[in-house]
Amino acid sequence: MFEREIDVARQAAESAGALLVELYGNDIHVRKKGRVDLVTDADVQAEDLIVKTIAAHFPSDGVLAEESGRYRGDSGRTWLIDPLDGTTNYAHGFPLFAVSIALEIEGRLELGVVSCPVMGEVFEARRGWGARLNGHPVHVAGTARLSEALLGTGFPYNLRQDPELHIDRFARMVLSAQGVRRPGSAAIDLCYVAAGRFDGFWEVGLKPWDTAAGVLMVEEAGGLVTTLQGEPFTPYAKSVLAANPVLHQEMVASFQRES
Ligand code: IPD
Ligand code: CA
Ligand code: CA
């Protein structure tokens, strides 16, 4: 199912990734969307390329893209697009960033592609088909205890509005887990859970384009994805918690104990 869609998504993600690499390190224009939220010319050009590629193949589909917003099609299908996930990394010359593209049909995620061009890695998932990294199946890790887990996380751009909550949560996880990393791209964090590189990932305040492709990747790799409170996840939820099913229970219990 969705052979043509995944081919188009892969082609769009790889072309956008190549464009990002071409512009990387050049003197590109960087603007602030908020106090710490950046956007570069590379975000805008990559998104333009992706949206045009998808519109050329599927003109009646809708699009929800980070920089240009929502276009409502009439097919009941919506493409969720983050042309550059990890803009802060990109703008600082820190080479970890990705292109994330997912397709949602009648509220259900059906496919996702995450391309990490500098690493030469493309993750792909389709519902019921599994998750793959450069064509090879990937699975979540089997780590069953938080004390043995390597976790990923991120901080929302509005961190300064309620710093204690996020920092307390981070401190608790750093003290309970084997290690916690903050790579700077939620799409990559989720793919790393799918590939067993991370045992778990949590973050609050992400947007649908950040999570959609990566969440399907985790589910198709055998992982569980919910909100921090253990409620069902949708790309429009306010938080995300992804892990293998055993570790997931321990992480939910830990977040539920928050006062
Ligand atoms: C950001 C990254 C980051 C996460 C932020 C996101 P952007 O996306 O995914 O890891 O912590 O919350 O907004 O702005 O680089 O596309
Ligand atoms: Ca993003
Ligand atoms: Ca982005």
Side-chain angles (χ1 to χ4, degrees), residues 3-27:
E3 291 285 345
R4 196 165 148 246
E5 283 81 354
I6 197 104
D7 286 347
V8 171
R10 188 189 314 109
Q11 183 201 322
E14 289 188 328
S15 309
L19 176 67
L20 294 177
V21 170
E22 195 184 310
L23 298 175
Y24 183 63
N26 293 359
D27 192 16

Side-chain angles (χ1 to χ4, degrees), residues 66 82 84-86 209-210:
E66 179 170 13
D82 191 338
L84 169 46
D85 188 52
W209 48 80
D210 297 312

Side-chain angles (χ1 to χ4, degrees), residues 58-81:
F58 307 110
S60 56
D61 285 359
V63 163
L64 176 59
E66 179 170 13
E67 309 306 337
S68 53
R70 185 184 278 279
Y71 161 74
R72 283 181 197 284
D74 50 21
S75 64
R77 308 183 350 152
T78 305
W79 293 88
L80 306 174
I81 300 165

Side-chain angles (χ1 to χ4, degrees), residues 40-234:
T40 71
D41 285 350
D43 297 69
V44 175
Q45 288 182 35
E47 181 163 310
D48 193 51
L49 191 159
I50 298 165
V51 170
K52 282 186 176 142
T53 304
I54 287 174
H57 288 87
F58 307 110
S60 56
D61 285 359
V63 163
L64 176 59
E66 179 170 13
E67 309 306 337
S68 53
R70 185 184 278 279
Y71 161 74
R72 283 181 197 284
D74 50 21
S75 64
R77 308 183 350 152
T78 305
W79 293 88
L80 306 174
I81 300 165
D82 191 338
L84 169 46
D85 188 52
T87 298
T88 306
N89 286 350
Y90 188 88
H92 285 263
F94 187 92
L96 199 75
F97 52 86
V99 179
S100 177
I101 302 176
L103 176 61
E104 186 186 57
I105 303 183
E106 310 290 358
R108 215 164 93 118
L109 293 170
E110 292 293 350
L111 69 85
V113 175
V114 175
S115 164
C116 315
V118 172
M119 314 291 264
E121 294 191 327
V122 179
F123 294 85
E124 291 179 24
R126 269 183 277 166
R127 185 167 294 282
W129 172 88
R132 304 209 175 159
L133 163 55
N134 292 348
H136 302 287
V138 289
H139 301 284
V140 293
T143 311
R145 300 224 304 261
L146 200 47
S147 57
E148 287 163 13
L150 182 64
L151 306 178
T153 191
F155 295 103
Y157 285 121
N158 66 2
L159 169 68
R160 286 160 185 80
Q161 283 170 22
D162 193 0
E164 286 81 17
L165 174 67
H166 302 291
I167 288 166
D168 285 356
R169 198 176 269 154
F170 183 78
R172 239 172 331 107
M173 285 294 165
V174 168
L175 295 173
S176 315
Q178 195 163 70
V180 181
R181 305 285 181 262
R182 196 286 189 238
S185 161
I188 294 180
D189 294 334
L190 286 160
C191 288
Y192 281 14
V193 174
R197 295 172 178 173
F198 275 149
D199 298 298
F201 166 73
W202 85 94
E203 187 162 344
V204 301
L206 289 169
K207 298 290 195 295
W209 48 80
D210 297 312
T211 53
V215 161
L216 186 62
M217 217 71 68
V218 173
E219 290 177 346
E220 287 296 314
L224 257 185
V225 185
T226 63
T227 66
L228 258 51
Q229 288 71 37
E231 291 146 359
F233 177 84
T234 85

